[in-house]
Amino acid sequence: MARQTGIIKLKGTIGDISFYKSADGHLARYKGGVDANRIANDPAFQRTRENGSEFGRAGKGGKAIRNAIRVLLQNAKDKRVVSRLTKSLVAITKTDTVNERGLRTIEDGDMATLQGFEFNANGKLGATLFAPYTTSLDRTTGDVDVSLAPFSPTVRIAAPGGTTHFKVVMGAAELDFANETSTFESDETAILPYDSANTAAIDLSVALPANSALPILQVVGIEFYQEVNGQMYPLKNGAFNALAVAKVDTV
């Protein structure tokens, strides 16, 4: 892989060289590799097919998660969240001790390792919100909660410059990876002043289907605002908003 440095940046293919744009800039690479038909049928590539199958399953699982929490994710994500999430899910797939190689799944792996995953590397919840919070999940009722005791925002929140207000958000998703579907609900505080006065106690709650046997993912985040002439504007288009996995629960 080589970086394009000329004034004119190319896209497409010339001969055996492919030119393309990525998050790392304008790049070029040599077209090569093994014939696709051989990979699909040659016994020598059995491991490759197995790895490809599990990678594809992780990719679909990542898409299911992102689609489920999209209402919150659209306000707090970085450019590499797709690849980072897929990488984490591939690792989870490899912890599946139930199914044979090539058939391993996310839901049969150790999904607890996804706890703490940050959806925005530019604004991590773990480096932003220092007010302790507790989570709870009742599968019988489907209730999912998060609670924060009163705290001083300027003491407990490392907000980006220009912040005048913020809000805390929470969401929970019931994930059906096999069918690539989900059920999602979210809750949030009002937009609160970013000052030294203690907030009231914060209690956010959502209700998912009762008695679910599917994996449940809970996310917690914080969004920043700037007040200008009485109007609230997302600070820097949400570039530093934080969202992270706060709880993962499987049956």
Side-chain angles (χ1 to χ4, degrees), residues 148-152 198-202:
L148 296 86
F151 65 91
S152 169
N198 276 357
T199 67
I202 294 174

Side-chain angles (χ1 to χ4, degrees), residues 47-98:
R47 297 284 87 84
T48 301
R49 291 193 291 274
E50 292 170 352
N51 290 339
S53 176
E54 293 184 350
F55 182 84
R57 197 171 294 117
K60 290 180 179 179
K63 183 178 180 180
I65 291 174
R66 297 194 312 274
N67 285 345
I69 66 172
R70 183 171 298 278
V71 66
L72 299 181
L73 183 62
Q74 65 184 355
N75 298 325
K77 62 181 178 180
D78 61 62
K79 293 181 179 180
R80 297 184 182 275
V81 66
V82 174
S83 59
R84 293 194 300 105
L85 181 57
T86 300
K87 181 179 179 180
S88 294
L89 295 177
V90 167
I92 290 172
T93 297
K94 291 180 179 179
T95 65
D96 176 1
T97 59
V98 177

Side-chain angles (χ1 to χ4, degrees), residues 36-178:
N37 184 63
R38 184 181 175 195
I39 293 177
N41 298 286
D42 191 333
F45 288 91
Q46 177 63 26
R47 297 284 87 84
T48 301
R49 291 193 291 274
E50 292 170 352
N51 290 339
S53 176
E54 293 184 350
F55 182 84
R57 197 171 294 117
K60 290 180 179 179
K63 183 178 180 180
I65 291 174
R66 297 194 312 274
N67 285 345
I69 66 172
R70 183 171 298 278
V71 66
L72 299 181
L73 183 62
Q74 65 184 355
N75 298 325
K77 62 181 178 180
D78 61 62
K79 293 181 179 180
R80 297 184 182 275
V81 66
V82 174
S83 59
R84 293 194 300 105
L85 181 57
T86 300
K87 181 179 179 180
S88 294
L89 295 177
V90 167
I92 290 172
T93 297
K94 291 180 179 179
T95 65
D96 176 1
T97 59
V98 177
N99 303 292
E100 63 185 51
R101 180 171 175 156
L103 299 175
R104 293 177 295 187
T105 68
I106 298 168
E107 56 267 41
D108 288 322
D110 183 10
M111 286 190 63
T113 59
L114 196 60
Q115 186 158 326
F117 181 86
E118 299 277 1
F119 291 95
N120 186 8
N122 301 313
K124 296 181 179 180
L125 188 68
T128 301
L129 179 63
F130 296 96
Y133 61 85
T134 58
T135 62
S136 63
L137 166 64
D138 187 331
R139 279 192 173 270
T140 301
T141 63
D143 292 332
V144 185
D145 309 294
V146 65
S147 298
L148 296 86
F151 65 91
S152 169
T154 54
V155 173
R156 295 292 186 174
I157 297 175
T163 297
T164 63
H165 292 75
F166 72 97
K167 70 178 177 182
V168 178
V169 300
M170 185 273 283
E174 176 197 53
L175 299 162
D176 186 342
F177 290 113

